[in-house]
Each structure stands twice: as C-alpha cells, then as structure tokens.
Amino acid sequence: MVNHNVNHKNIESINSLKNKEKIRILFVCLGNICRSSSAEEIMRTLIKKKGLEHEIEVDSAGILSYHKGELPDSRMRMHASRRGYQLTHRSRPVCTEDFYHFDRIIGMDDRNIEDLMERAPDLETEKKIHRMTDYCRTKVADYVPDPYYGGAQGFENVLDILEDACAGLLTSLVPDN
C-alpha cells in the first residue's frame, strides 16, 4: 500500500541533508530541562547504536533562558536513567546562530514552533523548523506535553513519545539503517 499523504517539505529536507557532510539537529522546548534535553540524549543513544556519531550531531536548547546553565529537571533525569539515558546537557537558550548551524530545528509543541518561527531570521531558516511528533511511528500525539508541573506518569509519557519520535526521525534521515 502506498502512502499518498507524503509531506513534500520533509522529502526536500531529507534530500538536502543527504548531500551534506554531517546532519545537525537541534531539539527545542520551553526551558531545555525536560523534553528537549531528553530528546537530545535519546537521539544520541540511537545514533551511537547505529554507529552514526560522525554523520549526525544533536543538541538541545530552550525558548527561554530562565534555566540557563542548569542540568535537566531531577525528576526527568531519574525517569530517563531508569531507561538507561544519562541527561547531562546544560540548559541554554536558542540563539540566532542555531538557525544557520542546524539542518533541522525540532520543536516539542505548537508554542515552541510559533516561537521558533518568530525568531527565524529568514524564510530559508523557517523551513528547518519541524514538529517532534511528526516523526512518531506508533504513538498518537499532536505534541510532546510539558511534564514539569505533573506527576511521574507525565515524565514516562514524554519518554515514550520521544523514544518513538526519535526512532522515526532517525529512520527518516537514514532510511537504509
């Protein structure tokens, strides 16, 4: 069965990435202490498992600079460590240079996407902005919810969504792997 609901923006992006030396991905959420830092580490783990460390670079940042320099939220670190992920990234805000350095800038929810679109320096860099859940393969989610004000299940749900979406993202970048 052929999927006729192809996103042509993604196909163009994938084709342009295949011709570059290294694919650079930036994950973005509000404060860079829960969702984006987790996505960075999950993706990094998948990349290492596939032996693609020299082909794909990942980083994360936040819309706000409130948590600049801080480690991820302790609850998120605890839940992630139970799955084998060590979240050591220090929070940093998105900067203009990110729009030029990274090939894909992936927001966790609609507000992140809107903020990134407003900050994008030009139309070309706007094309680099994507939604994390667009890469989900089995999870049905419109966005990655912010677990900061919730309980343990919220952190687990975020990790479930991110594991699925990161696997889908990697497959979209390197379909032969």
Side-chain angles (χ1 to χ4, degrees):
M1 176 180 259
V2 176
N3 179 1
H4 295 285
N5 297 323
V6 175
N7 183 334
H8 296 286
K9 180 179 173 184
N10 282 346
I11 290 174
E12 290 171 13
S13 182
I14 291 166
N15 288 335
S16 68
L17 291 178
K18 288 179 183 175
N19 298 324
K20 288 193 162 193
E21 290 180 21
K22 186 177 248 194
I23 300 167
R24 293 178 174 89
I25 303 166
L26 180 68
F27 297 101
V28 178
C29 69
L30 187 62
N32 191 213
I33 59 166
C34 290
R35 299 172 291 170
S36 58
S37 56
S38 296
E40 175 189 354
E41 186 55 31
I42 291 167
M43 190 68 173
R44 180 176 285 115
T45 300
L46 292 173
I47 290 166
K48 283 181 184 174
K49 283 181 181 175
K50 296 286 188 179
L52 298 169
E53 308 90 292
H54 301 293
E55 286 84 27
I56 303 172
E57 171 189 320
V58 293
D59 193 4
S60 63
I63 297 296
L64 303 177
S65 61
Y66 182 77
H67 296 287
K68 185 177 179 180
E70 294 179 19
L71 284 169
D73 181 277
S74 61
R75 298 164 298 170
M76 184 53 98
R77 290 196 324 261
M78 180 187 67
H79 287 276
S81 71
R82 290 179 182 162
R83 296 183 187 212
Y85 305 115
Q86 299 307 311
L87 305 183
T88 59
H89 174 84
R90 296 281 179 168
S91 177
R92 72 173 187 85
V94 172
C95 64
T96 302
E97 176 58 31
D98 290 333
F99 289 93
Y100 298 108
H101 180 73
F102 291 95
D103 301 299
R104 291 217 182 168
I105 301 173
I106 302 179
M108 299 295 142
D109 61 33
D110 289 342
R111 183 63 200 188
N112 302 151
I113 300 291
E114 290 168 15
D115 289 337
L116 288 165
M117 290 293 203
E118 287 175 15
R119 292 176 186 210
D122 54 44
L123 293 175
E124 270 312 298
T125 54
E126 274 187 20
K127 293 177 185 175
K128 297 178 177 188
I129 300 168
H130 300 268
R131 181 180 328 283
M132 188 74 206
T133 53
D134 287 349
Y135 300 101
C136 284
R137 300 170 310 160
T138 59
K139 295 290 281 182
V140 178
D142 293 328
Y143 62 95
V144 181
D146 191 341
Y148 189 79
Y149 295 105
Q153 185 52 42
F155 291 95
E156 290 297 322
N157 184 44
V158 165
L159 290 168
D160 289 343
I161 293 169
L162 292 176
E163 286 176 336
D164 183 39
C166 284
L169 172 58
L170 186 58
T171 299
S172 77
L173 296 172
V174 190
D176 299 330
N177 242 322

